[in-house]
Amino acid sequence: MSKELEPLADPGLPVHVNRKADTDPIAAKRAERQVAILFSLSGVGTLLFIYSFFFIKDDVFIFLPIMGTTNAHQLGVGVGVAMSLLFIGFGAVHWAKTLMPDQEVIAYRHEMRSEEKDRQDLVATAKEGAAAAGLGRRPLIKRTLVAAAGLAGLPAVILLRDLGPLPGNSLNETSWARGTRLVTDPGDRPIKPSDLEVGAVAQVMPELAPGKKRKLEDIAKDAVLLIRIRPSEFQLDPERLSWTHEGIIAFSKICSHMGCAVALYEQTTKHLLCPCHQSTFDVTRAAKVIFGPSARPLPQLAITVNSEGYLIAKQPFSEAVGPSFWERKS
Amino acid sequence: MRFISKYRKHRFASPLLLLFALFGIGLTFSVASATEAPKTVDAAARSTLIAEGQQIFLKGCSSCHGLNAEGAGVAPSLIGVGAASVDFVVATGRMPMQDMSQQAMRKPPVYNEEEVAALAAYVASLAPGPRAYTNEEIKWERDGNTAEGGELFRNNCAMCHNFAGQGGALTQGKYAPTVMGVEARHIYEALITGPQAMPVFSDKIITPQEKLSIIKWIKSAESEPNLGGAPLGRVGPVTEGLLVWTLGLGLLIGVAVWLTAKAR
């Protein structure tokens, strides 16, 4: 059954088709004009940019359909730069496509390897140079050079230290301690249980020592959401129930998935949602995850009231708040 | 009398008479309304209002909320919700509900302001609750602070109502409506009563003055011009992404086709 397969004949290049501009001088002239117009539009764009930058005040607003009321200064600057760059490109492409030569050309590949003689000459030159430098005869220079080059790499490693101190135990700790008062955020007013009606929420922070300012990295860990529901609606184990006060329950606002602020509270369903990835937590069941990617409930803060009747933390958070990290214990 | 009969037919007589008459009416009216200004709703007028409200309630609301507003099934009890709740849900057209879906939505109100006031008076008479407000009472322009309001809004409202107050989705078809174009008194009443899925923001947690600041921020966001061109609904990455993935990529594909197409 063997049958010699005939190799396919080289079909060669397709016949070249001339463009209109190649044969018709009027078409060529038109294409030339079109390219010139495109380049001129780029110039107009640049002028628009310069005009907008210097002569349109940045508090001038104009109304445009679809856009609405828009800042004229920024619109002029943006449209100007866009036009000046875009139309140079459009003009160049149109020029190349219509007027520049488009004859198909065959370029043959050549071998990349150098001539044998050139290669041997190079090796000889390198050996001659090494012998002249005397590296083989003076080992002290060779060794110190290697050592110096090695040491010179160290600063690059040492500079990594400037990225900041190691996190230490800070991921496991928050500012909440036994007896810390809950204060409103913003406002920093201490809260009494009677301040919250059933169905009310409050964004709270731990109270600061007088004169101290809140640091951003603390806010990112300390934010707590206070929710009041009817005590009969709780489905909690006795320990967690003792962490609530008259139907007021406190959760860390930092999502246990990726650390967004969980604060979409639906009063009707008692569900708490994270706006980033829709993790849904059930407030009545200690923020149990009922939907979404979060792996654990939001940490609950144990609260009670002090002798003056203000809400305080009973103890620090029993677990690390926020998303998972390598050294997290649970 | 001769004087009157003499000038009776004068050509200025009738315009002058008209002027006198108008002045007289104006004077009487201003005196009358001045005496009326320190209005004290006496018990009799109040009980008529409550009776009127009860009539409206029995006709329009009792089929779901029960004859005594005690609630039934999905319709909650209205005892103790106060006039503020009634003013918010009825004057914004949310009640009566269009259908029994997840959420009552804003629509043109069914009852006029007087009827709403009567309904509110009736519901408030059942049990004490937050009172209704008028737009004039909410002095946000005078007492509000826009910067403070912005901070409060971002901390308490933005997660549901969007960072620019455009509203956003909740679960199972519920949503937080836009706060743009909402009357000041309705924003205030929503904050103190917590309508539908919205929680309550108590006066001790967000003080009345802070509530005015929030309203002032919302009003300033309403009139804020677009610094960066088309706002795309001010909902952030969703519409921006949609525009880039459709219009932006479409443009790039178009350019790529143009680049590789052979010129004729």
Side-chain angles (χ1 to χ4, degrees), chain A residues 11-237:
Chain A
L13 288 170
V15 184
H16 179 73
V17 183
N18 273 338
R19 298 164 299 185
K20 225 175 194 174
D22 292 331
T23 51
D24 183 2
I26 298 172
K29 202 78 196 159
R30 192 192 308 125
E32 189 184 341
R33 250 193 331 268
Q34 285 165 344
V35 173
I37 289 171
L38 287 170
F39 284 152
S40 310
L41 279 174
S42 160
V44 169
T46 310
L47 291 178
L48 175 67
F49 166 80
I50 294 170
Y51 176 77
S52 315
F53 191 90
F54 287 108
F55 300 111
I56 302 181
K57 292 265 183 308
D58 57 6
D59 56 356
V60 179
F61 291 90
I62 51 168
F63 181 83
L64 290 177
I66 303 172
M67 287 262 201
T69 312
T70 307
N71 187 303
H73 171 79
Q74 300 198 5
L75 189 76
V77 166
V79 171
V81 169
M83 277 176 68
S84 80
L85 295 178
L86 211 56
F87 282 115
I88 286 183
F90 282 163
V93 171
H94 195 58
W95 181 14
K97 284 181 63 165
T98 53
L99 293 173
M100 287 189 192
D102 72 336
Q103 294 288 343
E104 293 81 2
V105 175
I106 299 171
Y108 290 100
R109 280 193 209 167
H110 303 282
E111 199 180 1
M112 302 288 284
R113 196 175 195 273
S114 303
E115 299 280 319
E116 194 54 39
K117 186 178 171 300
D118 290 346
R119 295 163 65 89
Q120 278 165 5
D121 281 358
L122 181 76
V123 173
T125 312
K127 278 186 174 159
E128 207 180 295
L135 276 182
R137 276 182 294 126
R138 305 190 204 281
L140 191 62
I141 291 182
K142 195 164 89 180
R143 282 175 206 150
T144 47
L145 176 64
V146 168
L151 280 174
L154 273 184
V157 180
I158 290 171
L159 278 176
L160 292 177
R161 188 67 184 76
D162 265 4
L163 291 175
L166 290 170
N169 200 28
S170 63
L171 288 174
N172 286 310
E173 294 166 342
T174 64
S175 309
W176 292 102
R178 185 187 160 85
T180 311
R181 285 207 290 189
L182 281 68
V183 294
T184 60
D185 172 40
D188 287 317
R189 295 181 296 270
I191 303 166
K192 287 187 174 171
S194 56
D195 296 345
L196 286 164
E197 297 142 42
V198 170
V201 295
Q203 327 281 332
V204 297
M205 283 282 169
E207 188 175 39
L208 280 175
K212 276 205 157 184
K213 279 203 81 177
R214 207 160 257 137
K215 283 190 289 183
L216 205 58
E217 56 260 45
D218 289 337
I219 295 174
K221 289 188 299 179
D222 295 345
V224 159
L225 186 70
L226 216 54
I227 300 169
R228 183 164 202 168
I229 65 175
R230 280 174 226 288
S232 58
E233 287 171 308
F234 281 133
Q235 302 168 38
L236 302 171
D237 59 54

Side-chain angles (χ1 to χ4, degrees), chain B residues 1-60:
Chain B
M1 282 299 119
R2 283 187 62 85
F3 165 78
I4 292 171
S5 23
K6 186 178 172 192
Y7 290 103
R8 194 176 55 178
K9 293 263 173 72
H10 195 275
R11 64 193 170 103
F12 285 134
S14 29
L16 219 59
L17 201 67
L18 192 68
L19 216 62
F20 273 126
L22 280 174
F23 182 74
I25 291 168
L27 200 70
T28 340
F29 194 76
S30 65
V31 169
S33 58
T35 51
E36 212 181 53
K39 194 159 96 185
T40 45
V41 183
D42 53 318
R46 180 139 192 91
S47 61
T48 358
L49 199 65
I50 292 171
E52 271 174 43
Q54 187 172 20
Q55 287 309 309
I56 300 169
F57 185 88
L58 290 175
K59 276 188 209 134

Side-chain angles (χ1 to χ4, degrees), chain B:
Chain B
M1 282 299 119
R2 283 187 62 85
F3 165 78
I4 292 171
S5 23
K6 186 178 172 192
Y7 290 103
R8 194 176 55 178
K9 293 263 173 72
H10 195 275
R11 64 193 170 103
F12 285 134
S14 29
L16 219 59
L17 201 67
L18 192 68
L19 216 62
F20 273 126
L22 280 174
F23 182 74
I25 291 168
L27 200 70
T28 340
F29 194 76
S30 65
V31 169
S33 58
T35 51
E36 212 181 53
K39 194 159 96 185
T40 45
V41 183
D42 53 318
R46 180 139 192 91
S47 61
T48 358
L49 199 65
I50 292 171
E52 271 174 43
Q54 187 172 20
Q55 287 309 309
I56 300 169
F57 185 88
L58 290 175
K59 276 188 209 134
C61 320
S62 62
S63 55
C64 298
H65 288 286
L67 287 171
N68 300 308
E70 73 276 15
V74 285
S77 159
L78 301 182
I79 296 163
V81 300
S85 283
V86 179
D87 189 50
F88 177 81
V89 296
V90 184
T92 61
R94 286 183 168 83
M95 286 288 155
M97 253 175 122
Q98 188 167 290
D99 52 54
M100 297 299 276
S101 55
Q102 279 290 339
Q103 186 160 340
M105 57 175 152
R106 196 188 168 118
K107 57 183 184 294
V110 173
Y111 298 109
N112 63 30
E113 292 283 310
E114 287 83 46
E115 289 166 325
V116 174
L119 263 176
Y122 167 65
V123 172
S125 75
L126 301 171
R131 74 179 179 93
Y133 288 80
T134 63
N135 283 329
E136 290 70 42
E137 278 177 287
I138 311 293
K139 301 213 181 296
W140 56 270
E141 277 164 312
R142 196 191 67 190
D143 299 334
N145 176 330
T146 317
E148 182 194 51
E151 192 184 345
L152 286 157
F153 190 91
R154 284 189 293 277
N155 217 348
N156 291 285
C157 324
M159 47 280 207
C160 302
H161 289 285
N162 160 304
F163 57 89
Q166 303 293 318
L170 298 174
T171 58
Q172 297 175 355
K174 294 191 287 297
Y175 61 93
T178 173
V179 293
M180 299 290 106
V182 181
E183 284 180 50
R185 78 173 206 264
H186 292 145
I187 301 176
Y188 197 92
E189 286 164 352
L191 282 164
I192 55 174
T193 60
Q196 306 196 60
M198 177 167 162
V200 180
F201 293 92
S202 316
D203 275 355
K204 287 285 175 55
I205 304 300
I206 297 180
T207 63
Q209 191 273 327
E210 287 176 336
K211 290 188 171 96
L212 297 182
S213 294
I214 292 179
I215 295 171
K216 190 160 186 178
W217 183 86
I218 291 172
K219 296 294 169 196
S220 90
E222 266 171 25
S223 56
E224 188 163 302
N226 306 314
L227 279 171
L232 304 176
R234 291 186 179 171
V235 291
V238 177
T239 46
E240 286 162 14
L242 183 73
L243 194 78
V244 169
W245 280 97
T246 53
L247 220 68
L249 271 186
L251 192 76
L252 287 184
I253 291 170
V255 168
V257 169
W258 175 61
L259 273 173
T260 50
K262 195 168 163 52
R264 271 169 286 121

